[in-house]
Amino acid sequence: MSTGDLTTTSYAILGLLAIRPWSTYELAQQMERSLKHFWPRAQSRIYEEPKRLVREGLATATKERVGNRPRTTYSITGRGRDALAAWLARPGAGPVIEFEALLKVFFSEHGTRAGALANLGAIREWTQQQHAENVAFARLLRDSGGPFPERRAQIVLIGRFLVELADALDRWSVWATEQVSAWSDEGGVPEPDWSFVEQVAARPIAAARLPGASDYPSGSV
Amino acid sequence: MSTGDLTTTSYAILGLLAIRPWSTYELAQQMERSLKHFWPRAQSRIYEEPKRLVREGLATATKERVGNRPRTTYSITGRGRDALAAWLARPGAGPVIEFEALLKVFFSEHGTRAGALANLGAIREWTQQQHAENVAFARLLRDSGGPFPERRAQIVLIGRFLVELADALDRWSVWATEQVSAWSDEGGVPEPDWSFVEQVAARPIAAARLPGASDYPSGSV
DNA sequence: TTCTTCATGTAATTAGTTACATGATTGA
DNA sequence: TCAATCATGTAACTAATTACATGAAGAA
């Protein structure tokens, strides 16, 4: 009832249901196709979450049979749309990143240089795969319009986010590979890229800041 | 014993212990200061994880007393260093992103335009906060050398990753804000930025790819 | 001496994952 | 008719979180 206990994943599903009704399998597919890149969840979670939405009165379930098997299709309710709108009005959390390969680069002095380079290679692989997907999707959008024409503007917003992200990671991995390659094989402490440090240190800090946010907690690495 | 059941979080802690021994509280602080940005974990987790390392023989615990309270300090063992090295040699997973505010932008047609703009504003806030931290840390590094001078090269690698990320998000949020601002208030379907779509669609797809990775699963949004 | 912040942990709960199981459909 | 893939779900487990509790130290 209270909708106070819904998670972001619940709302992600609810958002999909606001577009159209889906069977559970279709929901799982759609999560895999689109939300995977900024709200990834396991398939089994997607089978569970809509049940909660039904309990809360935010969705309805329709059961059919395909031969001998059950199929459940979910639709959003009016209260579901209200809850979604209320959630959309509240500012959401910033990006949270988990990046295991980067963790390994961070600790690289306790492993081999070859290992670090292999991790950077894996990151480049990821980047290029991502890039290929992005380009393929842009072409689809240009040529055939893509799915959900009425949502194209939103889709392109997210698309550009993914492109910027892949580009940034690509630039980084090229530079980082150069850096690590330049480290001496069994030498002492490698030297960082001081010119980069200088360049960042010289940047201005944006003046327009919220009141009360003026002291910078000693963050970063 | 088998170290097969260690999680990435276990290895993150183990990596910190490879640098020097820490008390649990110091570990938690260090996680908050540095790993937060690419392997964020709650404080209570950091109190639990070292116990497992001890059970596996990868670390040792030293108990002291501070007045009436216990303090546990952990150190890495030889087997711990071996396990860490073995882990570092295996390529790690690519980035995993959870981004609630972006999710809200994605579903923005079910809320108000003001809500979407507020979310973009929150993202800009995050970006600028991040930028300020990055610059402050670069200055620290330049001026006083920063903590762990022997790890500076690794630290700068990660630092540049964070800078690239913040820059990319900043560019994106500026553009996205313009886009959403241009959407008509209660109009029909907003038009996407076609010139951007064109530009991405026209990009080449990198030729040098691994064998077997030649088909692109229909990804993206 | 009181309040605040630093420091150290435990308990309860759950969101999420991995693994399993199996029916339907299609193409060779 | 066999194998592969599409489709639909459940069960078992745990990594991780939130919330709580409280001692120590320093400032006012």
Side-chain angles (χ1 to χ4, degrees):
Chain A
M1 276 299 187
S2 58
T3 79
D5 45 358
L6 294 184
T7 66
T8 301
T9 302
S10 314
Y11 285 108
I13 301 285
L14 193 58
L16 288 179
L17 293 181
I19 300 173
R20 72 166 178 81
W22 314 75
S23 74
T24 325
Y25 180 77
E26 288 173 320
L27 276 176
Q29 265 196 321
Q30 196 57 23
M31 287 288 283
E32 174 70 18
R33 283 175 58 85
S34 69
L35 295 198
K36 177 174 66 172
H37 300 294
F38 49 104
W39 200 260
R41 284 304 177 265
Q43 175 249 50
S44 66
R45 191 98 284 273
I46 297 156
Y47 273 79
E48 283 306 314
E49 211 57 58
K51 298 178 185 173
R52 169 161 22 184
L53 296 178
V54 171
R55 281 202 305 276
E56 303 281 349
L58 309 181
T60 57
T62 311
K63 308 225 178 205
E64 315 162 60
R65 303 225 127 246
V66 180
N68 206 4
R69 307 194 56 159
R71 167 182 297 166
T72 313
T73 301
Y74 294 96
S75 308
I76 196 170
T77 64
R79 289 193 44 216
R81 291 195 184 276
D82 292 347
L84 179 62
W87 177 72
L88 289 172
R90 297 193 296 271
V96 172
I97 299 182
E98 291 186 352
F99 198 168
E100 192 192 39
L102 193 65
L103 202 54
K104 298 194 180 193
V105 171
F106 186 58
F107 290 126
S108 57
E109 80 270 33
H110 303 292
T112 66
R113 202 167 58 123
L117 289 171
N119 269 287
L120 290 170
I123 293 173
R124 276 194 70 72
E125 270 305 306
W126 183 91
T127 294
Q128 302 205 349
Q129 169 68 26
Q130 205 51 42
H131 175 75
E133 283 186 24
N134 291 342
V135 171
F137 192 75
R139 289 175 184 174
L140 178 71
L141 218 51
R142 178 193 58 184
D143 298 339
S144 78
F148 305 113
E150 75 284 3
R151 303 197 69 244
R152 271 186 288 201
Q154 285 82 13
I155 287 170
V156 170
L157 285 186
I158 273 56
R160 179 150 186 174
F161 168 78
L162 295 176
V163 168
E164 292 279 2
L165 184 72
D167 287 355
L169 242 190
D170 191 59
R171 281 193 305 277
W172 177 82
S173 61
V174 168
W175 168 84
T177 301
E178 287 169 10
Q179 291 286 309
V180 175
S181 298
W183 294 353
S184 92
D185 244 322
E186 281 306 323
V189 173
E191 212 44 38
D193 184 343
W194 284 114
S195 76
F196 168 74
V197 174
E198 279 295 343
Q199 184 197 309
V200 175
R203 289 206 205 173
I205 290 177
R209 310 202 18 84
L210 291 193
S214 47
D215 60 324
Y216 315 125
S218 65
S220 272
V221 179
Chain B
M1 279 295 187
S2 59
T3 79
D5 45 359
L6 294 184
T7 65
T8 300
T9 302
S10 314
Y11 285 108
I13 302 285
L14 192 58
L16 288 178
L17 293 182
I19 299 173
R20 72 168 179 80
W22 314 76
S23 75
T24 327
Y25 180 76
E26 289 172 320
L27 275 176
Q29 264 196 321
Q30 196 57 23
M31 287 287 284
E32 175 70 17
R33 282 175 59 83
S34 70
L35 295 198
K36 178 174 65 170
H37 300 294
F38 49 104
W39 201 260
R41 285 302 176 267
Q43 175 249 51
S44 65
R45 191 97 285 272
I46 296 156
Y47 273 80
E48 283 306 314
E49 211 58 56
K51 299 179 184 174
R52 165 152 37 176
L53 296 178
V54 171
R55 280 203 306 276
E56 303 280 349
L58 309 181
T60 57
T62 310
K63 308 226 177 203
E64 313 162 61
R65 304 225 127 246
V66 179
N68 208 3
R69 306 194 58 161
R71 167 182 297 166
T72 312
T73 301
Y74 294 95
S75 309
I76 195 169
T77 64
R79 290 192 44 217
R81 291 196 185 275
D82 293 347
L84 179 62
W87 177 71
L88 289 172
R90 297 193 295 272
V96 172
I97 300 180
E98 292 186 350
F99 198 168
E100 192 192 38
L102 192 65
L103 201 54
K104 298 194 181 193
V105 171
F106 186 57
F107 290 127
S108 58
E109 80 271 34
H110 304 291
T112 65
R113 202 167 58 125
L117 288 171
N119 268 287
L120 289 170
I123 293 173
R124 275 193 70 71
E125 269 306 306
W126 183 92
T127 295
Q128 303 205 348
Q129 169 68 27
Q130 204 50 42
H131 175 75
E133 284 187 23
N134 291 342
V135 171
F137 192 75
R139 289 175 185 174
L140 178 71
L141 218 51
R142 179 194 56 183
D143 298 337
S144 78
F148 305 112
E150 74 284 4
R151 301 197 69 245
R152 270 185 287 200
Q154 285 81 15
I155 288 171
V156 169
L157 285 186
I158 273 55
R160 177 148 187 175
F161 167 78
L162 296 176
V163 168
E164 293 278 2
L165 186 71
D167 287 355
L169 243 191
D170 191 59
R171 281 194 304 277
W172 178 81
S173 61
V174 169
W175 167 84
T177 301
E178 287 170 10
Q179 291 285 311
V180 175
S181 298
W183 294 353
S184 92
D185 244 320
E186 281 305 322
V189 173
E191 214 41 40
D193 184 344
W194 284 114
S195 76
F196 169 73
V197 174
E198 280 293 343
Q199 184 197 310
V200 175
R203 288 205 205 174
I205 290 175
R209 311 206 12 89
L210 291 192
S214 49
D215 58 325
Y216 315 123
S218 64
S220 271
V221 180

